[in-house]
């Protein structure tokens, strides 16, 4: 990631140490992961110890310290989806992609994450790929849906 | 729009807006909440806009995407004003018919109306649908009337009049008194009286104080705060500004999870517009009172819903809770007196100021006043958001409003209060919902998640599910929470995998007891509740898993097996074609057999087996019958050879 | 500031208003077991081993003495059936991670904690945070911090800082109630050649 852009984001938040999480969120959403150089730059500019930035970057689920795949799969593991069979959807995705939640496959095709609730409980179990919601998933439909992504 | 400088001007502006609006002009309101958008509401809105333009009706008809009215199950929801005709499950292809029939001809499109599944009777108006009829929607009914990104819409229904009343007709003390008198209790979890919390901050000597909105709604299966923030953000801002005036704060924060992008967007737009009009910022409405609001996005940590963790996160650190022997209304954000209430609590404040505490206390029970929004989800026919007066029974919510359990299944339990709550059994269905009633029964109100579980749900698995959630979401700072939950989860996982042993239940109880008294924050202290409540009401399910290695709900994967009854198999090949693991041996005219080695127990065969055969069985606690010999598998007409 | 008068294990003690119950007890020479407490550091309240029973305004509750502020007429019991039960369980939970820690073993003997009660998961670190907080609060170097959360929480050296600062300091080593810290340091050293390995 371009360090000039990192600086711009920091300036947008007035270099406020209390805006640290907001700065990291901005970088994450633009770059889809947090490169080490960016964290060091923030540490320097905000005068915040790197230990604190590392803790935040690993404490909150929104952040990733490694590059992500082209398609982000989010399996909702909320209670409503759980009782309607979310585990079966997750099992199917794990089997077909060969990755576990939090992982990215070697071709950088898919990144798999579980989420606590997408708030579309009426459609559960729900799988979201690249922001698109796929509702009422069964293992068979999950397999069909995954095939559509290149 | 120039700033509004006085309450009189506000009245004038409102009159001017209303004078431009013809109450008889047709308006098509389409829910644009996250739930309906996921069901395709975006395309429906586009289709309406195109169709209205194509028919040359742009000047005569208004079209707006609104907040969520709650009936997610039947989304996208469309309501047509002024008649209030409610169409459900609307698709883009239905749009031309709605426009030509309902808008032009004033005729109702019957097939899009709600139909009672029992009687087949149709309901034309929103208010006639049973899902809505039994609710008391003092907060959420506004959503469908508003474009959440339009301050004018909010002003048109009387928005910010409560703020004007507070600033010009009331003192901070009298606002505080009114809220205290209303006995409004916090809608986020523990149900602490808001007025008493406010009073503590007001009386704290430090002149710098803060007000915060907790919109870090992390309970899985709960989305009422999202609906309010997405659908009516100004009502939250108005409540917050009134609270700030009462306690003497000039700065407020809305802590909202980044998983709610639409809520972030709508509330950010609302803040900007409110500042332009002078409802926020310096010298609000010319009163001399200053108040600014900022949005802070959470980055994905359930524990940040805990008040002290939320404040730590706002300060730009990892959201670890702090020991709370001095309450945060005295020493909170940056060590300053801080009032933190959740979205729904703030939303009630303008209503209380406008209509009075006496009106509010008419609703609800002795200990719990007003209404509560629940997110009714799980094994229920009408999934959605329901707002009911406190004191309504669980039975009425689940059956009258929720329409009961789908597929003719039997009710088993209702889980309330999220991961900190508990599961209540059928015997308690007549329990009136209220803060104290739910706590006494071993659950809690929490923020309002209500998850209905049917006979297919394993209660040990539900406890395991919540503990698994919490091991991931615990901040990991204190030992009882980090280690206690870890050990409880291990035991529960073992039980669900058939590896439970004598003494497990007692050890669970001991771990639960220590975690409850010794954990640092509310997350840890309440973490054992899912275990304790399921042990209290469903102990026999634990025992069946441990002693008989049997899952009574036929749900725990390691304890069940799928088996095709050779006498019933019709050799239709539906299961063998759909099986994702190619575990079914069959073929045309051959009785199908499941290869137990290959079977991943996904249940697809069980689901696709045609009801006329119903040959696939789920069994638990008994051995799988051996496959019938190869030579006996061929089916010939009239019988088997 | 006026002194505060409270009772600990039946004995009266005067304390200044900014003191914690733990400090007041120490003034009397009463020992309360602790793992995450250090007098040079801000109270942390994480290990929960120092829980005591307090009686205040008619109600009894368990509180963490390293954080709980003294108040007038407070009645404190540093040992009771409830207190001992909590301490025993906490020790057993931690012994699953660090069965050979001498601090833990010593306390385990006192409270009858069984080091084999829970299945062993030797991660050594018990997350008392002494190293992290000492490095930040006293040394102001921030060479070591926490990463991740929940059961995945770990201590982690920032290699660039550690390679410059740690070799000549190592003041945190003796604070560690287990050997986890030294292990983490050695491991970091093995991963980056610039970090002098502890000998």
């Amino acid at each position: 990631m371009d360090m000039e852009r990192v600086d711009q984001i920091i300036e947008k938040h007035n270099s406020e140490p209390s805006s640290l999480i907001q700065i990291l969120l901005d970088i994450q959403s633009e770059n889809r992961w947090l490169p080490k150089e960016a964290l060091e730059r923030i540490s320097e500019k905000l005068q915040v110890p790197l230990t604190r930035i590392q803790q935040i970057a690993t404490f909150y689920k929104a952040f990733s310290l490694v590059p992500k795949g082209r398609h982000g799969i989010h399996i909702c593991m909320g209670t409503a989806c759980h009782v309607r069979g979310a585990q079966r959807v997750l099992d199917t995705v794990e089997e077909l992609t060969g990755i576990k939640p939090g992982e990215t496959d070697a071709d950088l095709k898919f990144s798999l994450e579980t989420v606590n609730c997408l708030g579309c409980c009426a459609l559960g179990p729900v799988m979201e790929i690249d922001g698109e919601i796929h509702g009422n998933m069964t293992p068979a439909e999950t397999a069909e849906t995954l095939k559509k992504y290149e | 729009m120039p700033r509004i400088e006085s309450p009189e001007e506000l009245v004038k502006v409102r009159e001017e807006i209303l004078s431009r609006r013809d109450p008889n002009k047709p308006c098509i309101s389409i829910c644009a909440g996250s739930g309906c958008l996921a069901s395709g509401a975006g395309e429906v809105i586009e289709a309406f806009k195109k169709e209205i333009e194509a028919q040359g009706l742009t000047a005569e008809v208004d079209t707006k995407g609104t907040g969520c009215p709650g009936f997610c199950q039947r989304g996208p929801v469309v309501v047509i004003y002024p008649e209030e005709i409610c169409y459900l499950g609307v698709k883009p292809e239905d749009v031309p018919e709605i426009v030509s029939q309902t808008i032009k001809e004033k005729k109702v499109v019957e097939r899009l109306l709600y139909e009672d599944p029992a009687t087949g009777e149709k309901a034309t108006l929103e208010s006639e649908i049973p899902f809505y009829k039994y609710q008391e929607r003092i907060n959420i009914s506004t959503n469908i009337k508003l474009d959440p990104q339009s301050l004018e819409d909010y002003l048109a229904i009387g928005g910010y009049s409560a703020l004007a009343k507070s600033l010009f007709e009331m003192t901070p003390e009298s606002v505080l008194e009114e809220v205290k008198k209303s006995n409004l209790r916090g809608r986020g979890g523990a149900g602490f009286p808001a007025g008493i919390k406010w009073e503590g901050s007001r009386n704290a000597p430090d002149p710098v104080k803060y007000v915060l909105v907790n919109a870090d709604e992390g309970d899985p299966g709960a989305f009422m705060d999202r609906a309010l923030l997405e659908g009516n953000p100004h009502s939250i801002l108005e409540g917050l500004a009134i609270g700030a005036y009462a306690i003497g704060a000039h700065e407020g924060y809305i802590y909202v999870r980044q998983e709610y992008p639409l809520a972030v967007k709508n509330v950010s737009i609302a803040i900007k517009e409110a500042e332009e009009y002078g409802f926020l910022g310096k010298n609000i409405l010319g009163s001399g009172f200053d108040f600014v609001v900022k949005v802070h996005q959470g980055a994905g940590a359930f524990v940040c819903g805990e008040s002290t963790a939320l404040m730590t996160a706002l300060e730009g650190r990892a959201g670890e809770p702090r020991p709370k022997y001095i309450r945060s209304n005295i020493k909170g954000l940056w060590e300053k007196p801080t009032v933190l209430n959740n979205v729904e609590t703030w939303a009630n404040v303008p209503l209380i100021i406008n209509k009075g505490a006496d009106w509010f206390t008419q609703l609800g029970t002795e200990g719990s006043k007003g209404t509560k929004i629940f997110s009714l989800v799980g094994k229920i026919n009408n999934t959605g958001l329901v707002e009911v007066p406190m004191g309504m029974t669980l039975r009425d919510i689940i059956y009258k409003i929720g329409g009961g359990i789908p597929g003719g299944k039997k009710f088993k339990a209702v889980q309330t209060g999220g991961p900190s709550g508990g599961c209540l059994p059928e015997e308690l269905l007549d329990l009136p919902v209220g803060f104290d009633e739910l706590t006494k029964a071993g659950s809690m109100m929490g923020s309002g998640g209500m998850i209905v579980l049917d006979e297919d749900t394993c209660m040990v698995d539900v406890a395991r599910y919540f503990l698994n959630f919490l091991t991931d979401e615990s901040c990991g700072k204190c030992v009882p929470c980090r280690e206690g939950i870890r050990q409880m989860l291990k035991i529960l996982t073992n039980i669900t995998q058939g590896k439970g042993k004598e003494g497990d239940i007692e050890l669970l109880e001991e771990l639960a007891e220590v975690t409850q008294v010794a954990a640092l924050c509310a997350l840890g202290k309440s973490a054992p509740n899912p275990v304790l409540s399921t042990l209290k009401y469903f102990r026999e399910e634990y025992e069946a898993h441990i002693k008989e290695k049997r899952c009574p709900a036929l749900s725990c994967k390691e304890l069940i097996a799928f088996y095709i009854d050779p006498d019933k198999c019709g050799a239709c090949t539906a299961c063998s074609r759909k099986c994702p693991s190619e575990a079914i041996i069959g073929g045309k005219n051959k009785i199908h057999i499941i290869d137990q080695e290959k079977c991943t127990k996904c249940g697809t065969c069980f689901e696709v087996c045609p009801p006329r055969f119903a040959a696939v069985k789920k069994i638990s606690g008994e051995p799988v019958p051996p496959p019938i010999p190869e030579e006996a598998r061929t089916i010939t007409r009239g019988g088997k050879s | 500031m006026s002194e505060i008068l409270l009772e600990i294990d039946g004995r009266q003690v005067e304390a200044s208003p900014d003191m914690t119950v733990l400090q007041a007890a120490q003034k009397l020479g009463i020992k309360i077991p602790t793992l995450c407490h250090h007098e040079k550091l801000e109270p942390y309240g994480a290990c929960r081993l120092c829980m005591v029973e307090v009686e205040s305004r008619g109600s009894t509750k368990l509180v963490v003495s390293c954080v709980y502020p003294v108040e007038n007429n407070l009645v404190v019991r540093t040992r009771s059936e409830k207190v001992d039960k909590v301490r025993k369980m906490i020790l057993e939970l931690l012994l699953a991670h660090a069965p050979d820690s001498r601090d833990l073993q010593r306390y385990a003997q006192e409270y009858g904690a069984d080091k084999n009660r829970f299945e062993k998961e030797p991660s050594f670190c018990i997350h008392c945070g002494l190293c992290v907080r000492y490095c930040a609060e006293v040394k102001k170097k921030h060479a070591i911090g926490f990463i991740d959360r929940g059961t995945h929480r770990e201590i982690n050296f920032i290699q660039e800082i550690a390679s410059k600062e740690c070799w000549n300091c190592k003041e945190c080593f003796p604070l560690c109630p287990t050997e986890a810290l030294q292990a983490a340091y050695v491991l970091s050293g093995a991963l980056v050649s610039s970090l002098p390995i502890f000998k």
Side-chain angles (χ1 to χ4, degrees):
Chain A
M1 190 180 187
D2 184 4
M3 282 308 123
E4 261 173 49
R5 184 64 198 130
V6 174
D7 289 350
Q8 281 170 2
I9 290 173
I10 295 171
E11 271 153 39
K12 188 183 122 195
H13 293 278
N14 305 322
S15 305
E16 264 297 322
S18 65
S19 299
L20 177 55
I21 297 169
Q22 309 307 300
I23 292 170
L24 293 175
L25 276 173
D26 280 359
I27 294 176
Q28 174 75 40
S29 75
E30 230 166 82
N31 194 51
R32 305 189 56 223
W33 66 291
L34 303 175
K36 196 172 170 212
E37 304 76 60
L39 301 186
E40 286 167 351
R41 185 69 156 217
I42 298 167
S43 168
E44 189 190 311
K45 290 254 168 176
L46 260 50
Q47 288 294 299
V48 169
L50 204 52
T51 44
R52 197 168 116 195
I53 298 177
Q54 252 195 20
Q55 187 184 11
I56 288 173
T58 52
F59 186 92
Y60 295 101
K61 260 195 160 172
F63 302 125
S64 170
L65 295 175
V66 289
K68 290 279 181 178
R70 292 191 297 283
H71 305 293
I73 309 175
H74 292 107
I75 311 285
C76 179
M77 298 305 278
T79 325
C81 285
H82 176 76
V83 300
R84 291 180 177 198
Q87 187 62 47
R88 303 193 312 163
V89 178
L90 179 61
D91 289 347
T92 311
V93 174
E94 283 184 13
E95 208 170 296
L96 293 174
T97 59
I99 49 172
K100 300 236 171 263
E103 294 177 352
T104 299
D105 60 18
D107 312 332
L108 290 183
K109 182 175 174 189
F110 289 120
S111 290
L112 176 60
E113 299 282 347
T114 55
V115 291
N116 291 333
C117 185
L118 291 167
C120 311
C121 305
L123 300 174
V126 167
M127 169 167 76
E128 182 197 55
I129 303 181
D130 301 342
E132 193 187 337
I133 301 271
H134 302 272
N136 297 314
M137 294 313 278
T138 60
E141 270 177 70
T142 306
E144 284 302 309
T145 310
L146 281 186
K147 278 187 203 152
K148 290 181 200 148
Y149 290 85
E150 272 310 310
Chain B
M1 178 70 211
R3 281 176 61 96
I4 299 175
E5 301 287 358
S6 69
E8 294 75 27
E9 229 179 284
L10 172 61
V11 174
K12 262 190 222 148
V13 168
R14 174 170 304 123
E15 280 166 0
E16 190 271 326
I17 293 170
L18 289 175
S19 72
R20 278 189 275 123
R21 295 188 173 196
D22 173 4
N24 293 317
K25 183 178 177 188
C27 175
I28 305 168
S29 288
I30 308 120
C31 170
S34 288
C36 277
L37 285 176
S39 326
E43 291 79 45
V44 175
I45 296 174
E46 277 315 303
F48 268 115
K49 287 194 172 149
K50 263 197 204 139
E51 186 66 22
I52 295 288
E53 208 186 307
Q55 302 251 12
L57 293 167
T58 316
E60 289 123 76
V61 181
D62 287 331
T63 310
K64 63 171 115 183
T66 70
C68 167
F71 204 3
C72 307
Q73 183 74 40
R74 305 295 294 275
V77 176
V78 174
V79 179
I80 294 168
Y81 292 94
E83 298 88 351
E84 282 190 34
I85 299 166
C86 181
Y87 291 138
L88 301 168
V90 177
K91 294 191 177 58
E93 50 269 31
D94 300 325
V95 166
E97 191 181 347
I98 296 176
V99 174
S100 60
Q101 291 294 307
T102 310
I103 301 295
K104 285 184 136 175
E105 309 274 330
K106 297 285 164 205
K107 282 187 199 150
V108 172
V109 182
E110 292 273 333
R111 65 183 176 83
L112 295 171
L113 295 176
Y114 176 84
E115 185 185 307
D116 191 304
T119 61
E121 211 174 301
K122 304 247 177 185
T124 309
L125 305 183
E126 198 187 36
S127 53
E128 294 167 356
I129 299 172
F131 176 80
Y132 291 120
K133 197 158 76 182
Y134 300 102
Q135 297 190 40
E136 182 81 53
R137 304 195 302 149
I138 63 173
N139 281 296
I140 204 166
S141 62
T142 319
N143 277 7
I144 193 78
K145 300 188 181 116
L146 300 178
D147 172 352
Q149 299 178 1
S150 160
L151 177 55
E152 273 207 5
D153 271 15
Y154 187 60
L155 293 180
I157 59 155
Y160 288 109
S161 57
L163 178 62
K165 183 177 174 186
S166 301
L167 294 174
F168 293 95
E169 295 167 37
M170 297 170 85
T171 61
E173 291 81 3
S174 64
V175 172
L176 181 65
E177 276 316 307
E178 201 65 23
V179 173
K180 269 174 77 182
K181 208 171 127 197
S182 75
N183 199 12
L184 172 68
R185 293 173 68 173
R187 263 68 174 146
F192 193 82
I196 295 178
K197 195 189 268 185
W198 293 18
E199 191 171 41
S201 276
R202 176 168 177 77
N203 294 340
D206 203 312
V208 178
K209 303 171 205 279
Y210 297 103
V211 282
L212 312 180
V213 181
N214 187 346
D216 191 42
E217 184 175 51
D219 284 10
F223 49 99
M224 45 278 141
D225 291 343
R226 184 188 70 189
L228 290 175
L229 207 53
E230 274 179 11
N232 193 358
H234 284 290
S235 68
I236 318 297
L237 295 177
E238 186 177 5
L240 189 66
I242 293 169
Y245 173 68
I247 73 156
H250 300 289
E251 219 177 302
Y253 289 88
I254 299 178
Y255 187 98
V256 53
R257 48 198 304 242
Q258 56 101 28
E259 293 94 324
Y260 286 176
L262 187 58
V264 173
K265 184 179 164 197
N266 285 358
V267 80
S268 303
I269 292 172
I271 290 172
K272 207 167 153 266
E273 260 203 299
E275 280 170 352
E276 282 165 18
Y277 276 72
F279 298 115
L280 292 175
K282 289 238 174 276
N283 191 20
I284 293 172
L285 294 175
S287 65
F289 175 64
D290 307 333
F291 179 59
V292 292
V293 182
K294 290 182 193 134
V295 174
H296 181 106
Q297 289 189 57
F302 173 73
V303 67
C304 289
E306 196 275 341
S307 60
T308 60
L310 185 147
M311 291 174 203
T312 314
L314 269 179
E315 293 169 6
R317 288 183 282 140
E320 283 176 7
R322 304 190 270 231
K324 198 177 164 182
Y325 295 124
I326 300 171
R327 288 191 180 278
S328 46
N329 62 341
I330 308 296
K331 210 172 161 186
L333 183 64
W334 289 299
E335 310 253 296
K336 304 291 182 195
T338 304
V339 165
L340 171 75
N341 281 127
N342 107 315
V343 172
E344 193 182 341
T345 316
W346 288 117
N348 274 294
V349 171
L351 298 175
I352 291 168
I353 296 302
N354 263 339
K355 300 187 180 183
D358 291 336
W359 163 80
F360 189 75
T361 51
Q362 281 170 17
L363 296 161
T365 65
E366 188 56 38
S368 311
K369 298 297 181 194
T371 61
K372 177 78 194 84
I373 306 177
F374 289 98
S375 160
L376 187 60
V377 301
K379 305 288 185 73
I380 185 91
N381 274 319
N382 299 334
T383 294
L385 295 178
V386 305
E387 182 173 4
V388 297
M390 297 274 193
M392 186 180 261
T393 63
L394 288 166
R395 188 185 301 281
D396 282 352
I397 297 175
I398 293 167
Y399 287 94
K400 276 191 177 164
I401 297 173
I405 319 292
K409 296 276 182 180
K410 207 170 155 302
F411 171 90
K412 185 184 265 181
V414 55
Q415 205 279 346
T416 70
S420 308
C423 296
L424 303 174
E426 195 169 11
E427 305 91 271
L428 292 176
L429 271 180
D430 291 312
L431 188 79
V433 295
F435 292 103
D436 311 316
E437 291 84 350
L438 286 170
T439 306
K440 223 176 118 192
S443 185
M444 66 186 279
M445 178 79 85
S447 59
M450 191 175 272
I451 296 123
V452 180
L453 311 173
D454 70 3
E455 57 186 300
D456 293 341
T457 315
C458 169
M459 300 312 287
V460 186
D461 180 62
V462 167
R464 189 203 57 80
Y465 165 79
F466 281 114
L467 272 278
N468 184 46
F469 173 86
L470 289 165
T471 40
D472 213 31
E473 295 295 344
S474 157
C475 79
K477 179 176 174 179
C478 82
V479 178
C481 179
R482 186 185 67 241
E483 300 301 331
I485 295 176
R486 185 210 298 264
Q487 294 300 340
M488 284 191 276
L489 175 63
K490 262 193 188 177
I491 298 169
L492 289 167
T493 307
N494 279 339
I495 296 176
T496 55
Q497 293 179 345
K499 291 182 263 177
K501 48 185 191 300
E502 280 295 321
D504 275 357
I505 293 179
E506 292 71 20
L507 185 53
L508 273 178
E509 284 170 330
E510 200 184 326
L511 280 162
E513 190 192 333
V514 169
T515 309
Q516 266 183 338
V517 296
L520 194 157
C521 78
L523 182 148
K525 282 181 191 297
S526 61
N529 286 356
V531 181
L532 290 173
S533 70
T534 47
L535 270 174
K536 184 172 174 186
Y537 298 115
F538 302 95
R539 204 182 181 94
E540 70 287 351
E541 284 200 29
Y542 281 82
E543 285 166 352
H545 282 77
I546 297 172
K547 292 179 185 156
E548 303 163 40
K549 309 297 173 205
R550 178 173 66 87
C551 174
L554 299 171
S555 148
C556 292
K557 239 180 162 181
E558 278 79 358
L559 293 179
I560 58 164
F562 290 88
Y563 159 72
I564 300 172
D565 185 342
D567 294 331
K568 290 190 172 170
C569 178
C572 70
T573 73
C575 60
S576 62
R577 276 182 287 120
K578 288 275 180 180
C579 174
S581 353
E582 298 176 350
I584 298 178
I585 310 155
K588 224 175 166 201
N589 295 327
K590 288 258 193 185
I591 292 174
H592 289 36
I593 306 287
I594 297 175
D595 181 343
Q596 298 293 330
E597 297 284 305
K598 280 191 184 168
C599 175
T600 60
K601 298 174 186 175
C602 72
T604 300
C605 53
F606 185 77
E607 276 154 22
V608 300
C609 184
R612 66 178 192 278
F613 300 130
V616 181
K617 306 277 177 237
K618 238 197 267 190
I619 52 176
S620 179
E622 54 182 298
V624 182
I628 58 166
E630 181 79 55
E631 59 276 14
R633 290 184 198 167
T634 307
I635 302 178
T636 52
R637 206 183 337 179
K640 297 170 182 103
S641 63
Chain C
M1 263 193 184
S2 61
E3 291 289 286
I4 285 190
L5 200 64
L6 68 158
E7 185 194 300
I8 304 179
D9 291 347
R11 293 159 65 189
Q12 296 286 321
V13 61
E14 269 189 14
S16 57
D18 57 350
M19 276 170 111
T20 62
V21 168
L22 178 69
Q23 288 167 324
Q26 282 168 340
K27 201 175 159 191
L28 283 174
I30 294 171
K31 283 213 169 84
I32 297 174
T34 61
L35 288 168
C36 69
H37 178 76
H38 189 283
E39 55 189 14
K40 284 188 186 166
L41 304 177
E42 286 292 310
Y44 190 52
C47 77
R48 320 300 281 176
L49 197 62
C50 69
M51 286 207 116
V52 297
E53 210 170 279
V54 297
E55 224 180 285
S56 160
R57 289 171 227 119
S59 68
T60 307
K61 57 183 175 183
L62 289 187
V63 301
V64 172
S65 62
C66 72
V67 181
Y68 200 83
V70 293
E71 54 184 79
N72 263 319
N73 304 321
L74 194 70
V75 177
V76 180
R77 280 180 290 274
T78 66
R79 294 289 292 258
S80 75
E81 200 186 318
K82 272 192 196 154
V83 167
D84 285 12
K85 190 174 176 181
V86 168
R87 290 185 189 162
K88 174 174 174 283
M89 179 69 92
I90 286 172
L91 292 166
E92 287 169 339
L93 288 167
L94 292 177
L95 281 161
H97 294 290
D100 297 323
S101 154
R102 256 176 261 149
D103 289 348
L104 289 182
Q105 283 181 344
R106 187 164 42 84
Y107 287 139
Q109 213 165 16
E110 193 176 343
Y111 291 93
D114 172 7
K115 79 173 190 184
N116 297 317
R117 183 146 194 215
F118 298 105
E119 192 191 328
K120 297 278 181 311
E121 267 181 84
S123 55
F124 307 107
C125 181
I126 60 164
H127 305 87
C128 66
L130 286 173
C131 53
V132 172
R133 292 179 294 136
Y134 191 88
C135 190
E137 292 175 31
V138 178
K139 305 301 289 186
K140 310 221 180 314
K141 297 294 184 200
H142 306 279
I144 184 167
F146 278 119
I147 52 165
D148 219 322
R149 71 181 185 209
T151 51
H152 302 295
R153 192 174 164 102
E154 275 177 36
I155 49 169
N156 180 56
F157 281 98
I158 304 278
Q159 286 152 352
E160 290 78 357
I161 304 174
S163 63
K164 274 190 247 133
E165 306 289 347
C166 295
W167 181 246
N168 296 319
C169 172
K170 298 199 284 269
E171 284 174 36
C172 59
F173 281 18
L175 303 179
C176 180
T178 75
E179 283 74 42
L181 177 60
Q182 294 187 31
Y185 183 72
V186 172
L187 187 64
S188 304
L191 293 173
V192 265
S193 52
S194 59
L195 187 66
I197 289 190
F198 172 74
K199 287 173 192 132

